Amino acid sequence: MEINGKTRLCGLIGNPVEHTLSPLIHNTLAEKLGHNLVYLPFPVEEKHLEDAVAGAFGLNVLGLNVTVPYKSAVMPYLTEIDKLADEIGAVNTLVRSEEGYTGFNTDMPGLFRAMQSDGVKIDGESVIILGAGGAARAVAFLCASKGAKEIFLLNRSIEKANEVAAEVNALYGDKVCAMELNRFRELPKWRYLAIQCTSVGLYPNADAAVIEDEAFYEMIHTGYDLIYRPEETRFMKLVKKAGGAAYNGLKMLLYQGIIAYELWNGVAVSEEAASEILDLLKEKVSVS
Ligand code: NAP
């Protein structure tokens, strides 16, 4: 692609950003769709976050993704916040308007699109969410808003689980039951969709799962791990060993990026283009 006087810039702010796969998603999309656009990662120190957002606006940057640890911290510096992002309390995409940036959350719709593409449904399901951090919180809102029958939110520290449950329940009724992680044996003996939202099992600690007991996995018909490095996590292996279906978080990453790209450029990305980019992502993850 030729960079010229009309090239638009998008990027990622966070810390660290060195291992991000987002440039691969967005620069490939720009090339495929013939958009004159470049996407770059920007490592930003916390003390410079406000300046980074103001500076990006001053430089006519079209849009930004926001990653750890700024998904909530960036919110005071935005001129508007989309309803869904406001509910979740986290923003991962900034879209330029005339006055500043509007904050969106594409992680949650990204996971939903990933699940739809894998044929995994939430509606009517009994769901176990492992974790109560930023990702788990978004997933709890997703499951409640998409008609899960009941949600058990299991976390190492019960205080955080209680907080997330209270926030979701305030909007959706008594859907979420918070539990301490090590009390999983008290779960009603149904078959569950389990969504793994802790950081346990993330590369390089790939031989760990947040629950090791095989009895837990007997209850899981489908396991979705938000982690995608390694490609097959220990959680996924344990789900499969017990006879369930298991998926990693690579498609979630793909679709959160695609939805951001669609917001910035006012286009719809085809499933054909999405699957070509997924292949590139898989290649990259398997090599690293
Ligand atoms: P976070 O806010 O830091 O939350 C981490 C969670 O992991 C907390 O619930 C924490 O429990 C739990 N945890 C950490 N170490 C643990 C241990 N040794 N034993 C038990 N629980 C432990 O992180 P996050 O932003 O929610 O991200 C969570 C994971 O999702 C990360 O691996 C991230 O890579 C992945 N993710 C993937 C995507 C994607 O696009 N695929 C998007 C977002 C996030 P405590 O509360 O007890 O500390």
Side-chain angles (χ1 to χ4, degrees):
M1 194 205 100
E2 180 197 297
I3 294 177
N4 57 29
K6 290 182 180 165
T7 303
R8 297 303 306 267
L9 179 62
C10 287
L12 168 72
I13 57 173
N15 196 8
V17 292
E18 286 75 13
H19 299 293
T20 178
L21 294 170
S22 292
L24 179 64
I25 299 175
H26 294 287
N27 290 320
T28 310
L29 277 171
E31 204 180 301
K32 274 192 181 307
L33 301 177
H35 291 147
N36 190 350
L37 183 150
V38 165
Y39 183 100
L40 286 175
F42 299 107
V44 173
E45 283 179 42
E46 192 176 354
K47 63 181 181 207
H48 294 139
L49 182 61
E50 183 173 6
D51 289 347
V53 175
F57 188 73
L59 291 171
N60 198 29
V61 169
L62 179 62
L64 290 169
N65 283 136
V66 182
T67 189
V68 175
Y70 304 134
K71 288 187 185 184
S72 300
V74 77
M75 292 172 84
Y77 311 128
L78 308 179
T79 43
E80 220 180 311
I81 294 175
D82 170 69
K83 185 171 165 281
L84 179 69
D86 195 33
E87 249 179 55
I88 301 169
V91 152
N92 78 322
T93 300
L94 311 188
V95 178
R96 188 182 184 84
S97 68
E98 280 189 11
E99 301 80 33
Y101 289 105
T102 304
F104 290 84
N105 186 301
T106 72
D107 282 330
M108 193 173 108
L111 175 61
F112 188 58
R113 238 157 104 169
M115 287 178 139
Q116 280 182 315
S117 121
D118 286 326
V120 175
K121 70 177 184 69
I122 294 173
D123 187 25
E125 290 290 325
S126 296
V127 181
I128 295 172
I129 297 175
L130 298 171
R137 192 187 151 90
V139 170
F141 275 101
L142 173 71
C143 293
S145 68
K146 296 295 181 190
K149 192 166 93 188
E150 54 188 349
I151 302 164
F152 295 96
L153 188 109
L154 276 61
N155 196 45
R156 178 176 58 179
S157 37
I158 186 68
E159 301 77 22
K160 273 209 229 163
N162 281 334
E163 261 174 48
V164 174
E167 283 171 35
V168 179
N169 288 343
L171 275 180
Y172 292 99
D174 279 341
K175 279 265 167 173
V176 183
C177 172
M179 285 174 84
E180 231 169 292
L181 195 61
N182 58 17
R183 293 180 60 193
F184 68 86
R185 287 175 199 81
E186 294 167 28
L187 285 165
K189 297 283 177 280
W190 322 132
R191 300 271 289 157
Y192 294 90
L193 162 65
I195 310 179
Q196 200 303 106
C197 309
T198 77
S199 43
V200 181
L202 187 62
Y203 178 85
N205 301 312
D207 54 356
V210 70
I211 295 176
E212 286 287 347
D213 192 330
E214 291 190 7
F216 173 74
Y217 296 91
E218 299 289 337
M219 297 192 288
I220 311 303
H221 64 73
T222 305
Y224 225 100
D225 199 330
L226 299 201
I227 292 174
Y228 50 83
R229 271 190 186 117
E231 248 184 310
E232 187 172 66
T233 62
R234 175 147 176 84
F235 169 82
M236 290 169 65
K237 284 183 182 145
L238 288 163
V239 169
K240 283 185 183 172
K241 192 172 172 203
Y247 303 88
N248 69 21
L250 202 58
K251 268 196 188 171
M252 174 184 177
L253 177 82
L254 168 74
Y255 282 109
Q256 64 73 33
I258 285 180
I259 297 167
Y261 192 93
E262 291 175 337
L263 286 169
W264 293 329
N265 294 290
V267 292
V269 173
S270 69
E271 281 311 302
E272 195 191 341
S275 96
E276 282 175 37
I277 293 169
L278 182 64
D279 288 342
L280 294 176
L281 289 172
K282 280 182 181 163
E283 220 173 279
K284 199 79 171 182
V285 170
S286 64
V287 168
S288 55

